[in-house]
Amino acid sequence: MSILVDDPKWDALKTTSIPITEQITKDSKSGQELHNEDSQNYHISSNEQVGRHLVASKDLIAGDIVLRTLPLATGPLSSSGGPAPCVTCYEILDEDNLYMCPTCGWPVCSEECAAHPRHLPECMAIVASGVKVSFDDPTMWDSLYDCVILLRCLSLRISSPPSWAQMETMESHENTKRLQTHQRRSKALAALFEARFGNSYGSTKADVLRIIATLEVNGMEVSSAGHTLQAIYPIACLAEHACIPSAFRVFGSPDEGFPLTLRAAIDIPMGSAISLTYTDSLWGTPERRTHLYYSKLFLCSCKRCSDREELGACLTALKCRKCGDCILPENPLSEGWLKGAKAEGAEKWSCRNCKERMDGARARTAAWQASEWIKGLEEEDGVEYDAYENVLGKALVRLHPKHSSVIDLKHSILHLLNPPEALNDKQLTKKELLARELLEVAGIIFPGISQLKGTCLYELASSLMEKAKRKQKKEENCQPIIVEAEKSFEDCIYHLHFQSNCQPEYQLLIGAKEKMKDLVKMKANTSAKS
């Protein structure tokens, strides 16, 4: 079941391999050659607290490129079930786009995807095993999908030794602080890999376990062209975590090979760390820290996590039944949220105004209930505005208006209130207010360039534009509203113009530019009449 180094099939793999360790040398926006100048913007430093990490080599201005790179490997994002993706382009498979690779039997979406070099590592491993894959339902997830990225990483040993060398230098925490649950899951996956693929690419069980551990620490979830996958990127994986990051990521299209562009979100002084967020920024502190603990194996104690009010965002806040203000954890760095029932007596919450107290168990129950309501909405198809409003009303009984679950619901309602011209005046006003509330939160957790800011600014500007149209019809003064709408569209375009053209936000960018033209005409007409 092994694939030998001198197998002639490797000639094909080597000739089709992408030079994945090289910087992309062409700026997709300007078309100008960069000549790898990105690498002068950062260097790799190290300390005991965070290990190896990226540091700015010069003063960077918000929007500057830190680096650009292609992934060492990509693969399907691990799932416990549901529809299966094409292992080449990651489009979800169904009966209308199902094609079985004639060489290995793996389901893909087309003949082109079956012949793509990205599919070659697992295809060759299956051929070497002597048994094609066969799934009961080729459109549904199977545990073998978790082996795809392992095979692609292991194949680098032969197809691209420099890339393999880069993977070997990545942190894995394999023999130090990995959780027991991670170790059990890793052993189960390694056993499955060995049973189906043997020692493919000259791998040992230790190699497989190390790759699994490396992916846990360094793998990134990628969204591109409406598809979701996991990938591992050289250098970019060294950006340290911060709950208020100094940089942001933009992923390119499948046709480009899913390149990652890392840009400065704020001005970064020379010598400062370059950071990303490896969790959901719109979660409260307990949820963020728990997610980081179980996914990245560390407990964050950044400036935001250490402040019970999260620098003003208050995304953890419950509603005080006595005075209506925020009930927050007294010690935001408490591990009670991780330990659950064992820590109920130790974890204390209190109102920042009247000092009313609450124990951790009640706080967890209130937050969990709201998240379950939201999950129920997301699992249903075609859920309408009224259903979200109903859940929002229930959530606000126990949660503060700034709580992360409330913000999540408001964000969904904001996008459901579309198109603006179809809304009544009350709904249009609500849309405007929701956009302003979300922008206030975004301004705290994303002080620089932000996709969230860009999308909320688009919704705000669209609301204001429709409001101005209605006032114009009534021959009322709408000039101040037009001026604010114009500024909001300008800011929206600034925040979104960094997005790749394969991302949905890029379509908002195009829409914002078109609406801006209409708004300029409105402004001119209004000025002429006055």
Side-chain angles (χ1 to χ4, degrees):
M1 295 176 66
S2 63
I3 295 179
L4 303 177
V5 176
D6 58 357
D7 191 316
K9 293 186 182 71
W10 279 112
D11 293 335
L13 183 57
K14 288 178 179 179
T15 56
T16 54
S17 289
I18 300 169
I20 46 189
T21 59
E22 297 179 6
Q23 296 284 341
I24 301 171
T25 58
K26 199 166 189 177
D27 187 331
S28 61
K29 296 188 184 300
S30 67
Q32 296 177 350
E33 294 294 321
L34 295 178
H35 303 296
N36 294 333
E37 290 177 359
D38 312 351
S39 60
Q40 299 175 12
N41 293 343
Y42 69 90
H43 64 271
I44 299 171
S45 185
S46 181
N47 61 39
E48 290 185 6
Q49 185 178 6
V50 298
R52 295 196 306 156
H53 59 284
L54 298 183
V55 172
S57 294
K58 62 181 183 180
D59 291 341
L60 298 176
I61 299 171
D64 279 353
I65 293 173
V66 177
L67 64 86
R68 286 181 293 178
T69 184
L70 285 159
L72 297 174
T74 67
L77 189 65
S78 186
S79 170
S80 58
C86 171
V87 292
T88 299
C89 71
Y90 304 102
E91 182 177 345
I92 294 299
L93 299 175
D94 57 37
E95 294 180 357
D96 296 327
N97 70 345
L98 187 62
Y99 179 84
M100 313 305 286
C101 175
T103 305
C104 69
W106 203 291
V108 290
C109 71
S110 65
E111 185 177 355
E112 291 75 19
C113 280
H116 196 282
R118 194 176 295 133
H119 172 53
L120 195 54
E122 63 270 19
C123 192
M124 287 184 62
I126 293 165
V127 170
S129 74
V131 182
K132 288 186 177 183
V133 294
S134 178
F135 302 130
D136 291 337
D137 184 347
T139 65
M140 297 301 291
W141 181 269
D142 185 273
S143 56
L144 281 183
Y145 276 86
D146 285 325
C147 295
V148 172
I149 195 168
L150 302 182
L151 288 163
R152 293 176 182 180
C153 289
L154 290 165
S155 73
L156 295 174
R157 188 202 302 266
I158 301 169
S159 66
S160 180
S163 299
W164 176 253
Q166 284 190 300
M167 284 209 66
E168 287 191 306
T169 66
M170 292 181 180
E171 184 60 76
S172 67
H173 301 309
E174 187 180 7
N175 299 314
T176 53
K177 57 182 180 180
R178 291 183 75 223
L179 305 175
Q180 288 294 321
T181 52
H182 287 221
Q183 294 182 36
R184 287 195 295 269
R185 189 166 59 243
S186 297
K187 289 176 181 177
L189 180 54
L192 172 65
F193 184 95
E194 185 178 19
R196 185 62 181 83
F197 301 106
N199 63 335
S200 291
Y201 307 113
S203 63
T204 64
K205 187 175 183 179
D207 290 331
V208 175
L209 287 170
R210 182 167 51 78
I211 292 297
I212 294 170
T214 301
L215 287 167
E216 284 177 357
V217 176
N218 302 281
M220 293 186 185
E221 182 175 335
V222 177
S223 294
S224 174
H227 310 318
T228 305
L229 57 139
Q230 62 174 319
I232 187 164
Y233 292 89
I235 311 299
C237 65
L238 295 176
E240 67 176 77
H241 165 80
C243 290
I244 296 184
S246 64
F248 66 98
R249 298 170 289 195
V250 177
F251 296 108
S253 70
D255 292 340
E256 298 171 306
F258 304 105
L260 177 151
T261 302
L262 185 64
R263 290 181 181 268
I266 58 176
D267 293 348
I268 306 176
M270 181 175 66
S272 298
I274 296 166
S275 59
L276 290 169
T277 292
Y278 294 113
T279 185
D280 192 326
S281 294
L282 285 173
W283 285 343
T285 297
E287 291 85 4
R288 291 195 318 278
R289 298 185 79 233
T290 300
H291 177 252
L292 289 167
Y293 179 71
Y294 285 107
S295 63
K296 298 299 182 181
L297 309 177
F298 72 92
L299 282 169
C300 184
S301 57
C302 70
K303 187 177 179 181
R304 178 181 168 191
C305 287
S306 301
D307 178 23
R308 72 189 298 232
E309 296 184 21
E310 298 186 51
L311 307 179
C314 294
L315 292 175
T316 308
L318 305 180
K319 181 189 287 184
C320 178
R321 293 188 176 184
K322 281 193 173 181
C323 70
D325 200 23
C326 297
I327 288 185
L328 297 159
E330 293 181 351
N331 175 15
L333 299 183
S334 166
E335 296 180 21
W337 202 271
L338 293 172
K339 297 175 182 177
K342 295 180 182 179
E344 286 178 8
E347 189 188 7
K348 295 297 182 182
W349 292 47
S350 62
C351 176
R352 66 179 178 179
N353 177 47
C354 71
K355 311 307 178 186
E356 172 76 3
R357 296 175 73 86
M358 177 185 291
D359 66 39
R362 285 179 59 197
R364 282 192 295 275
T365 299
W368 174 82
Q369 189 173 52
S371 66
E372 287 299 300
W373 289 335
I374 294 172
K375 189 184 297 182
L377 289 172
E378 292 173 344
E379 289 174 351
E380 293 183 31
D381 294 327
V383 179
E384 297 184 355
Y385 165 77
D386 289 342
Y388 276 89
E389 279 286 359
N390 180 49
V391 171
L392 177 61
K394 290 194 297 182
L396 284 171
V397 172
R398 302 184 69 180
L399 305 183
H400 191 272
K402 287 187 173 183
H403 190 278
S404 59
S405 291
V406 174
I407 295 298
D408 190 359
L409 287 164
K410 289 178 177 179
H411 189 255
S412 297
I413 292 170
L414 174 66
H415 293 287
L416 284 171
L417 288 171
N418 269 312
E421 55 269 21
L423 305 178
N424 59 41
D425 289 347
K426 183 178 179 180
Q427 291 172 328
L428 188 64
T429 299
K430 184 176 184 66
K431 182 179 176 69
E432 178 189 340
L433 293 175
L434 287 174
R436 294 187 190 280
E437 284 185 50
L438 290 167
L439 282 167
E440 182 182 352
V441 174
I444 296 170
I445 61 178
F446 296 113
I449 298 166
S450 159
Q451 179 179 299
L452 177 62
K453 282 183 183 175
T455 56
C456 290
L457 282 163
Y458 177 86
E459 300 297 342
L460 174 62
S462 299
S463 302
L464 292 171
M465 185 174 178
E466 178 59 27
K467 187 176 179 180
K469 286 180 180 179
R470 295 181 187 186
K471 282 189 171 290
Q472 196 176 55
K473 286 181 180 178
K474 296 175 183 178
E475 297 185 350
E476 297 176 359
N477 180 24
C478 60
Q479 193 68 16
I481 300 173
I482 291 177
V483 170
E484 186 183 2
E486 186 176 28
K487 178 65 167 60
S488 297
F489 274 130
E490 287 175 353
D491 291 344
C492 164
I493 290 167
Y494 168 71
H495 285 282
L496 295 184
H497 87 276
F498 299 101
Q499 294 297 313
S500 168
N501 60 12
C502 68
Q503 302 293 359
E505 292 76 19
Y506 187 80
Q507 298 307 313
L508 284 186
L509 173 65
I510 294 173
K513 289 179 177 179
E514 291 300 316
K515 287 189 174 185
M516 187 73 164
K517 294 177 184 177
D518 294 339
L519 198 61
V520 170
K521 293 177 183 176
M522 276 183 64
K523 186 177 180 181
N525 291 338
T526 303
S527 298
K529 288 179 181 179
S530 60

